[in-house]
Amino acid sequence: MRGAVSTLYYQRDMTQQLIADRLGLSRPTVSRLIQEAQQQGIVQITVVPARGLHLELETELEERFGLAEVLIVNVDSRRPAELSRQIGTAASGYLARTMQRGDTIGLSWGNTLNAMVQAMPAVPGEDLRIVQVLGGIGPPDAEAYAGDMVRRLAQQLGASPVLLPAPGVVATTGVRDALRRDPHVRTALASHDKLDTVFVGIGSLKSNVVLNDGHSLPDGTLERLAAAGAIGDIALRFFDKDGQQVQTPLDKRILGITVDQLRRVRRVVAVAGGAEKLDAIHAGLRSGLVHVLITDHATAAALVSHKPRATR
């Protein structure tokens, strides 16, 4: 009954009262069935922002940073959670629109990418693989935990998940090397050489949870990165205001995709926005790692004339 009611309501544009009269139901029952159809996934509503609403600004950013595509989202709120939700929703629409049969799609981690996964409708592709490109960050039961995000996205797309069953940052280089010999870890790391597309966030030093949670990294790591000129990161690979890689001892303790592997991916999609990340996003675009940017209008407008602040 939910399917019949939903078909009449959404596909035939009948009012709830007309549906009630046709099926011999009360109007409240029709309303309830429509709501239950959404809750149970019978009906899925996806808002796909139309390219062209900010065509001039999108084109300007594409030309300035050498990007293949920029998608600018109208965001109704400056609250970080709502900003992430709306940018993530746009990213889910972009993924649904661009994925191809046989694609191997990488997924990093973070709140905006988690919002993308949450908004992803069930649109099964053909012969897809979803690959975790960075080991676990934060508590494993968190929604933004990379492995959980990969599982959920793979389920929505009917894809095969390729998990990286290891921490994203380990205690020593020796631990990293030992974990690399694990067959499951080795399989996941090898998949990083075969990615068609990878979705990443862009983090600033202040917004990066790993740097600021007080326990994931040794004391002084944030200060050392700042002293080395780091301004932001993509998948924990840090860069300075000019987009140049900042190499520190931390690099040798990360289990995840490398800068060289990122450069070989055909399409790297950065999903990020917000004033607190402006310097980092600007630098990330200058790095040459990013091909597609999905961001909010305020951030996009600021990027056009942005001059990064001097770092220590």
Side-chain angles (χ1 to χ4, degrees):
M1 184 61 72
R2 297 182 187 88
V5 168
S6 300
T7 298
L8 294 173
Y9 185 71
Y10 287 104
Q11 295 185 348
R12 299 190 184 178
D13 295 323
M14 293 180 64
T15 66
Q16 293 185 21
Q17 187 59 58
L18 284 174
I19 296 170
D21 294 341
R22 177 168 176 167
L23 299 180
L25 303 171
S26 68
R27 192 169 181 276
T29 297
V30 170
S31 179
R32 176 178 57 79
L33 290 172
I34 290 171
Q35 184 177 8
E36 289 177 355
Q38 292 184 26
Q39 293 171 345
Q40 296 179 13
I42 297 171
V43 172
Q44 297 176 339
I45 300 173
T46 302
V47 178
V48 180
R51 175 167 169 77
L53 295 177
H54 303 289
L55 182 58
E56 184 175 341
L57 181 54
E58 290 168 343
T59 301
E60 187 171 0
L61 287 174
E62 289 164 1
E63 293 176 349
R64 177 170 181 178
F65 294 104
L67 301 173
E69 186 173 356
V70 173
L71 176 60
I72 296 174
V73 182
N74 283 322
V75 176
D76 299 329
S77 171
R78 293 186 179 181
R79 290 183 293 117
E82 184 63 15
L83 188 76
S84 293
R85 187 187 69 80
Q86 295 192 39
I87 295 174
T89 297
S92 72
Y94 177 85
L95 173 54
R97 170 168 62 88
T98 59
M99 64 184 185
Q100 301 290 325
R101 179 178 182 177
D103 272 355
T104 298
I105 300 168
L107 185 66
S108 183
W109 71 292
N111 290 328
T112 307
L113 290 178
N114 183 54
M116 179 187 87
V117 174
Q118 288 179 324
M120 193 71 214
V123 285
E126 297 184 67
D127 192 26
L128 299 177
R129 294 200 309 164
I130 308 298
V131 177
Q132 183 180 343
V133 301
L134 182 66
I137 300 295
D141 59 346
E143 276 196 342
Y145 194 73
D148 181 62
M149 288 168 54
V150 165
R151 288 190 191 92
R152 287 186 284 128
L153 183 59
Q155 182 177 17
Q156 290 300 95
L157 299 180
S160 300
V162 180
L163 300 176
L164 177 51
V169 183
V170 296
T172 66
T173 302
V175 172
R176 181 203 65 179
D177 293 342
L179 285 169
R180 281 177 169 176
R181 292 191 289 270
D182 177 89
H184 300 292
V185 172
R186 189 167 61 245
T187 296
L189 294 177
S191 297
H192 298 170
D193 288 319
K194 304 171 185 177
L195 297 171
D196 297 294
T197 302
V198 59
F199 285 79
V200 300
I202 298 180
S204 67
L205 295 192
K206 288 185 178 180
S207 69
N208 190 305
V209 175
V210 175
L211 295 175
N212 293 279
D213 65 6
H215 60 80
S216 293
L217 296 174
D219 291 341
T221 300
L222 176 60
E223 291 73 18
R224 285 191 292 273
L225 282 166
I231 200 165
D233 78 284
I234 292 175
L236 290 185
R237 304 300 180 179
F238 290 86
F239 44 79
D240 64 18
K241 64 182 178 62
D242 298 315
Q244 298 299 309
Q245 185 179 4
V246 173
Q247 294 183 323
T248 71
L250 179 63
D251 284 308
K252 297 181 179 180
R253 296 169 46 203
I254 293 172
L255 274 167
I257 195 166
T258 66
V259 171
D260 288 341
Q261 287 173 320
L262 279 168
R263 291 195 187 282
R264 292 195 293 268
V265 179
R266 177 170 55 87
R267 180 169 54 198
V268 176
V269 183
V271 184
E276 76 285 355
K277 291 187 177 182
L278 184 59
D279 284 339
I281 294 171
H282 184 270
L285 297 182
R286 296 187 69 187
S287 72
L289 296 174
V290 176
H291 306 109
V292 177
L293 173 67
I294 302 176
T295 192
D296 62 286
H297 182 266
T299 299
L303 284 169
V304 170
S305 58
H306 181 63
K307 291 183 173 57
R309 295 186 295 271
T311 56
R312 290 184 293 168

